[in-house]
């Protein structure tokens, strides 16, 4: 690892990181802002992608191809599907899928298009490092499947469809698209989410109330992971 990328979908998801690092250089590119940091000798580029799969794909590609980042970490919030997940709980993705990708009319399974795959697996090395950090800091972190789609889910029926179809534990709007980009470009990646809502009829109220606190929980854990990455360089 020579340069690390850190992404969040919303400004609220990267603000705790910028507050922690304090000193950074802002670069404007492709209608977005990128923040360059040097932390303990490691070059880091931080960006919020804006919401959704297209913007997340653009930002991930930019971080890799323009800024030459060779490892990517994503920090943010998600809705819970797994009933054991509560607001503020941390989940790391073992693999990710696109729950709204549907060409089943042509005989393909949900989440699949020719030339692609239903699930993209996260970096096993980064997952192991994240588990070590969680253990060393007495943090409860759940591993699971994260489903991505260009919808804010606040419907029990949709939530049940995603759970049944993909056996997903949480859902959000960017992770799988970042995973596809990183997988295609052979970039190790890691998707971390803190639960902000339960993806049901109350999701909108929960999200507004717990966005900031859940984003800080995710960011604090991510910073500990970055420290461990630096120790293992």
């Amino acid at each position: 690892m020579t340069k690390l990328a850190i992404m969040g979908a919303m400004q609220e998801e990267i603000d705790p990181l910028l507050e922690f690092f304090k000193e950074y250089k802002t670069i404007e590119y492709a209608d977005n802002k990128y923040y360059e940091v040097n932390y303990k000798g490691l070059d880091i580029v931080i960006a919020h992608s804006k919401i959704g799969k297209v913007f997340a794909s653009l930002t991930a590609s930019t971080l890799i191809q323009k800024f030459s980042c060779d490892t990517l970490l994503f920090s943010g919030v998600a809705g819970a599907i797994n009933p054991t997940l509560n607001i503020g709980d941390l989940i790391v993705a073992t693999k990710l899928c696109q729950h709204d990708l549907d060409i089943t009319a042509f005989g393909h399974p949900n989440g699949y298009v020719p030339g692609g795959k239903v699930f993209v697996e996260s970096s096993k090395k980064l997952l192991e490092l994240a588990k070590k950090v969680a253990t060393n800091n007495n943090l409860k972190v759940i591993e699971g499947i994260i489903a991505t789609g260009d919808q804010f889910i606040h419907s029990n029926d949709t939530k049940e469809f995603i759970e049944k179809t993909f056996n997903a534990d949480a859902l959000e709007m960017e992770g799988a698209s970042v995973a596809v980009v990183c997988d295609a470009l052979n970039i190790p990646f890691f998707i971390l989410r803190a639960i902000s809502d339960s993806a049901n009829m109350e999701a909108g109220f929960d999200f507004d109330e717990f966005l900031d606190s859940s984003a800080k929980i995710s960011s604090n854990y991510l910073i500990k992971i970055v420290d461990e990455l630096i120790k293992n360089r």
Side-chain angles (χ1 to χ4, degrees):
M1 179 183 62
T2 57
K3 186 181 282 190
L4 175 66
I6 300 179
M7 278 182 65
M10 296 175 288
Q11 190 66 39
E12 291 89 343
E13 292 173 321
I14 67 165
D15 277 344
L17 296 168
L18 297 177
E19 289 170 15
F20 175 81
F21 292 121
K22 292 184 176 63
E23 295 184 5
Y24 48 85
K25 177 183 177 183
T26 303
I27 296 174
E28 295 192 20
Y29 180 78
D31 199 27
N32 204 358
K33 291 181 179 179
Y34 294 81
Y35 306 93
E36 291 189 323
V37 172
N38 185 277
Y39 177 62
K40 298 181 179 180
L42 175 65
D43 288 326
I44 302 173
V45 185
I46 302 169
H48 90 279
S49 62
K50 303 173 212 176
I51 294 169
K53 292 192 292 183
V54 173
F55 281 127
S57 298
L58 171 62
T59 303
S61 298
T62 300
L63 286 164
I64 295 164
Q65 295 185 312
K66 176 176 174 57
F67 290 93
S68 301
C69 295
D70 53 17
T71 303
L72 191 150
L73 308 181
F74 193 110
S75 174
V77 299
I81 297 178
N82 186 326
T84 67
L85 285 169
N86 299 306
I87 288 173
D89 284 352
L90 291 162
I91 179 168
V92 295
T94 53
K95 55 186 179 180
L96 301 102
C97 61
Q98 298 181 66
H99 67 74
D100 61 346
L101 183 53
D102 184 353
I103 57 167
T104 54
F106 299 97
H108 298 294
N110 281 286
Y112 175 82
V113 292
K117 45 195 171 185
V118 175
F119 293 101
V120 179
E121 294 187 359
S122 302
S123 163
K124 289 182 172 58
K125 184 176 180 181
L126 290 175
L127 282 174
E128 289 302 315
L129 184 141
K131 286 194 288 185
K132 177 183 176 183
V133 170
T135 300
N136 291 345
N137 289 275
N138 295 314
L139 291 172
K140 177 187 175 186
V141 180
I142 293 174
E143 295 179 85
I145 297 171
I146 293 181
T148 299
D150 279 321
Q151 306 160 345
F152 180 81
I153 303 301
H154 54 100
S155 159
N156 284 324
D157 289 345
T158 307
K159 179 178 172 179
E160 288 170 9
F161 165 78
I162 295 168
E163 179 181 23
K164 180 179 178 182
T165 306
F166 301 100
N167 196 29
D169 296 283
L171 49 83
E172 34 87 306
M173 299 179 66
E174 298 83 24
S177 58
V178 173
V180 168
V181 170
C182 290
D183 186 56
L185 297 174
N186 296 311
I187 298 296
F189 73 93
F190 171 80
I191 309 292
L192 163 67
R193 296 285 187 168
I195 298 302
S196 60
D197 61 86
S198 298
N200 56 20
M201 295 302 290
E202 303 299 319
F205 300 105
D206 288 344
F207 183 82
D208 288 340
E209 182 176 354
F210 294 107
L211 168 61
D212 288 342
S213 60
S214 293
K216 286 176 183 175
I217 290 168
S218 181
S219 295
N220 289 340
Y221 177 42
L222 191 77
I223 290 163
K224 291 180 172 63
I225 292 171
V226 171
D227 282 329
E228 189 66 24
L229 280 169
I230 291 170
K231 281 171 56 179
N232 286 278
R233 285 179 73 189

